[in-house]
Amino acid sequence: MKKLLFWWSKLKSTFWFVPVLIIALGIALPFWLVYLDNSHAFEPKGGWKYLFPSSPNAAKDILSTIAGAMIGVAGTVFSITLVALTLASSQFGPRLINNFMYDRINQTVLGTYVSLYIYCLIVLNTVKDTDQLEFVPIISVFFALLMTIGNIVLLIIFIHHVASSIQADNIIGKISKNLSKNLEILFPEQIGKAAASSFDLEQIKAKFTYSMPLKSNKEGYLQYVDPEKIMDYVSSKDLFIELYFRPGDYLFLDREIGKVYAHKDLSEEELEPLKNNFLTGRTRTSQQDAEHAIHQMVEIAARALSPGINDPYTAIACIDNLSNTMAYLTTVQFPSPYRIGDQDRLRIYANALTFEGMMGAAFNAIRQYAKANPPVIIHLMEAMITLSDFAVEQQHKEVIKKHAKMILNLAELSIDEKNDLEDLQKRFDAIQQ
C-alpha cells in the first residue's frame, strides 16, 4: 500500500498530470452540455437573448474566435513558462526547475487554455446549418464565453504568479515550507518500531549462521524504501538486515547496499523480492529524503556566493531559513537505527538520519563557499549562537560548537579586518559558555 501511495504521489508531481485531467474534462464536458441543448429547448428572453448566439453562423464565429485565441494564448503561456524556467535554472540551479514544473497554477493555466480550445472544436462540430437540420447549442456556446472571461482573469493571475515565483525570497520560502513538511517523518521512522535502547550488533549477528550481501539491482538515487514490505519479508524469513544507505544516496548497479543475516543460505532469487522494495530513479525526491530540500537551499546559497552573481543577501536568507529548520530539529527525537519487528525482535539496523548529519548538510557547503565574504561568515556565526540557545541536549550543543569553531577558523584565514575577527571571537566565546 505504501508503495502505491509513493507512485501516486510521484504521478501527481509530474508536469503533465493536472493538465491532462483538465483536458479530459474539456473533452467530456461538451458532450453533456450539447446533450442539454438537444434535450431542452432553451429560449432566452429579454436582455439575456443578447448574450446567446441567435444563428448557426453566429455560434460558429464565436467558437472559432475563442478557439483561435485560446491556442494562441496557450502558446504565449508556454513561452512565458519556458522563460521562467530558463531564468530559474541559470540563477538558482537546474535542480530547482522541478519546483516550477510542479507548480499547480502553471499546470492549471496550461491545461485550462488547451482544454477550452478542444472544447470549442468539439462544440463547433455540433453546430448544424443545413436544409434538413439547424442546431445551435446556445448553452454550450454561452459556457464557452464564460470560460473565456475566466481564462482572461486566469492569465492575469498567471503573469503575476510567474513574476512572483522567480523572486529569490519566494523561492527560498517555498523550499523552506517543503523542508518543514519533509521533516515530519524522518527515515527510518516508518520501518517497524523503534527500539527503546541500543543493541550489541556483533552479538545479534553471531546468532545467525549465514550472511549474504544485499546488492542493488538498479542504479540511480534511492528514492523510496517500502517500510511495510521490507519488515514483513524480514520477519517472515526470520532475518536480520543491516542497511548501509538511505533515501537520497546514489546506488550503483550490483553495489552492496546492505547485508542479510539468516539461519540458512539464501539464493539471489530468494533475495530478489527484498531488493524490489528499494526503488531508485534518476533524480532525488522528497518522499523519504529529508535532506533533499536542504540541498536545494544550499544550492541557492552557493550560487548566490559565486563570483558571477555575488549576492550575499540571498545566501543570508538561506542561512536564516536553514537555521529555523535546525532549531526545530534540536527539539526532535531522531529515529533510532534499531528497528523492531514481530515478537519485539531486532530485525533491521538502518542508516538513520542524525542531527550532526543534518547540520553538515545545511552549513558545510555554505561555509566553504563563504570564504572571503565577511557578511555571510558573520551571519553564520550568529546562526550558531541562535541554535546554541535552542539546543537542550549536550550532544547537539557539541555539534553546534564544532561548526562554530570551523566558521571561526575560516574567518581567521579569510578576514583581514581585526575588529571583525574580534567580534567573531566574542560571539564564539558566547557559544562556548
Side-chain angles (χ1 to χ4, degrees):
M1 185 62 182
K2 290 291 183 72
K3 189 182 291 187
L4 291 176
L5 292 175
F6 167 75
W7 287 116
W8 172 246
S9 178
K10 196 170 182 179
L11 178 64
K12 290 192 300 180
S13 66
T14 56
F15 181 68
W16 54 266
F17 180 71
V18 172
V20 166
L21 287 181
I22 297 175
I23 291 172
L25 179 62
I27 295 174
L29 190 59
F31 290 95
W32 179 66
L33 291 177
V34 170
Y35 170 77
L36 288 180
D37 280 308
N38 188 50
S39 59
H40 297 80
F42 179 70
E43 292 290 340
K45 298 179 180 179
W48 287 101
K49 64 183 179 182
Y50 297 107
L51 298 177
F52 293 87
S54 58
S55 66
N57 288 334
K60 290 180 179 179
D61 290 342
I62 293 172
L63 292 171
S64 299
T65 301
I66 294 175
M70 289 304 105
I71 197 63
V73 176
T76 303
V77 169
F78 273 107
S79 300
I80 294 174
T81 303
L82 289 176
V83 170
L85 292 177
T86 302
L87 288 174
S89 177
S90 61
Q91 186 76 14
F92 305 109
R95 275 157 292 279
L96 292 173
I97 289 180
N98 288 343
N99 292 29
F100 294 88
M101 291 180 61
Y102 301 160
D103 190 286
R104 285 288 183 256
I105 293 182
N106 295 345
Q107 296 174 359
T108 301
V109 170
L110 292 173
T112 301
Y113 279 98
V114 176
S115 175
L116 184 54
Y117 168 73
I118 296 175
Y119 172 90
C120 290
L121 292 183
I122 295 175
V123 176
L124 183 61
N125 192 51
T126 65
V127 179
K128 303 298 180 183
D129 184 17
T130 64
D131 295 336
Q132 293 81 19
L133 176 64
E134 180 179 299
F135 177 67
V136 182
I138 58 176
I139 297 178
S140 302
V141 175
F142 181 69
F143 183 82
L145 288 172
L146 293 179
M147 285 297 298
T148 302
I149 296 172
N151 279 0
I152 293 173
V153 176
L154 193 59
L155 179 62
I156 298 172
I157 295 173
F158 170 74
I159 294 174
H160 170 77
H161 175 72
V162 169
S164 300
S165 64
I166 60 176
Q167 296 177 16
D169 290 340
N170 290 333
I171 293 174
I172 294 170
K174 187 174 181 178
I175 294 175
S176 181
K177 182 179 179 181
N178 292 337
L179 177 56
S180 299
K181 185 178 180 180
N182 292 351
L183 296 177
E184 292 177 359
I185 299 177
L186 299 174
F187 184 83
E189 191 172 342
Q190 291 181 313
I191 302 179
K193 297 183 296 183
S197 59
S198 60
F199 289 81
D200 185 343
L201 291 182
E202 296 303 321
Q203 184 177 358
I204 295 293
K205 297 174 185 177
K207 296 179 180 179
F208 297 89
T209 309
Y210 298 90
S211 64
M212 294 135 289
L214 182 66
K215 295 184 178 180
S216 174
N217 54 7
K218 293 181 180 179
E219 72 279 357
Y221 288 98
L222 181 58
Q223 295 180 337
Y224 189 77
V225 177
D226 194 319
E228 294 178 350
K229 288 190 177 180
I230 190 173
M231 182 58 77
D232 290 342
Y233 181 89
V234 173
S235 299
S236 63
K237 299 288 186 179
D238 192 18
L239 308 176
F240 171 72
I241 296 182
E242 189 176 10
L243 298 179
Y244 302 151
F245 298 92
R246 60 172 177 262
D249 293 333
Y250 191 86
L251 305 182
F252 294 92
L253 183 63
D254 289 331
R255 183 176 185 177
E256 188 173 331
I257 60 175
K259 186 157 287 188
V260 179
Y261 296 87
H263 295 292
K264 66 174 184 177
D265 191 18
L266 299 177
S267 64
E268 289 294 324
E269 289 75 15
E270 291 177 292
L271 291 176
E272 195 65 27
L274 181 61
K275 296 179 182 180
N276 293 334
N277 295 318
F278 298 86
L279 305 182
T280 59
R282 290 177 292 179
T283 60
R284 298 178 66 171
T285 66
S286 59
Q287 284 283 337
Q288 292 180 335
D289 184 6
E291 293 181 348
H292 176 60
I294 290 180
H295 290 160
Q296 288 185 321
M297 193 88 73
V298 170
E299 182 174 4
I300 293 177
R303 282 180 170 265
L305 293 173
S306 65
I309 298 177
N310 193 22
D311 181 11
Y313 292 103
T314 295
I316 287 173
C318 292
I319 293 171
D320 288 336
N321 282 270
L322 289 171
S323 299
N324 178 65
T325 299
M326 293 302 116
Y328 164 74
L329 289 177
T330 60
T331 65
V332 171
Q333 182 66 40
F334 278 79
S336 169
Y338 303 95
R339 312 310 299 178
I340 302 297
D342 59 351
Q343 300 177 356
D344 292 332
R345 294 181 60 182
L346 180 66
R347 294 297 182 184
I348 298 173
Y349 180 78
N351 184 359
L353 289 166
T354 63
F355 180 76
E356 182 175 7
M358 298 289 275
M359 282 286 292
F363 295 114
N364 279 342
I366 296 179
R367 185 192 71 251
Q368 293 158 3
Y369 279 100
K371 187 176 182 180
N373 203 316
V376 177
I377 295 176
I378 292 172
H379 205 78
L380 277 171
M381 186 64 77
E382 290 176 351
M384 296 303 111
I385 294 174
T386 302
L387 292 178
S388 181
D389 293 337
F390 273 95
V392 177
E393 296 185 17
Q394 186 60 34
Q395 59 179 354
H396 291 170
K397 287 184 175 292
E398 293 300 323
V399 172
I400 295 169
K401 290 178 182 179
K402 175 184 175 182
H403 280 268
K405 180 60 177 175
M406 290 190 289
I407 294 169
L408 182 63
N409 293 339
L410 175 65
E412 291 174 347
L413 293 174
S414 60
I415 297 180
D416 298 326
E417 176 56 48
K418 182 180 178 181
N419 291 327
D420 286 340
L421 288 175
E422 290 178 352
D423 182 56
L424 277 171
Q425 184 65 54
K426 290 179 182 179
R427 295 169 189 263
F428 176 74
D429 293 339
I431 296 177
Q432 294 295 99
Q433 294 176 0

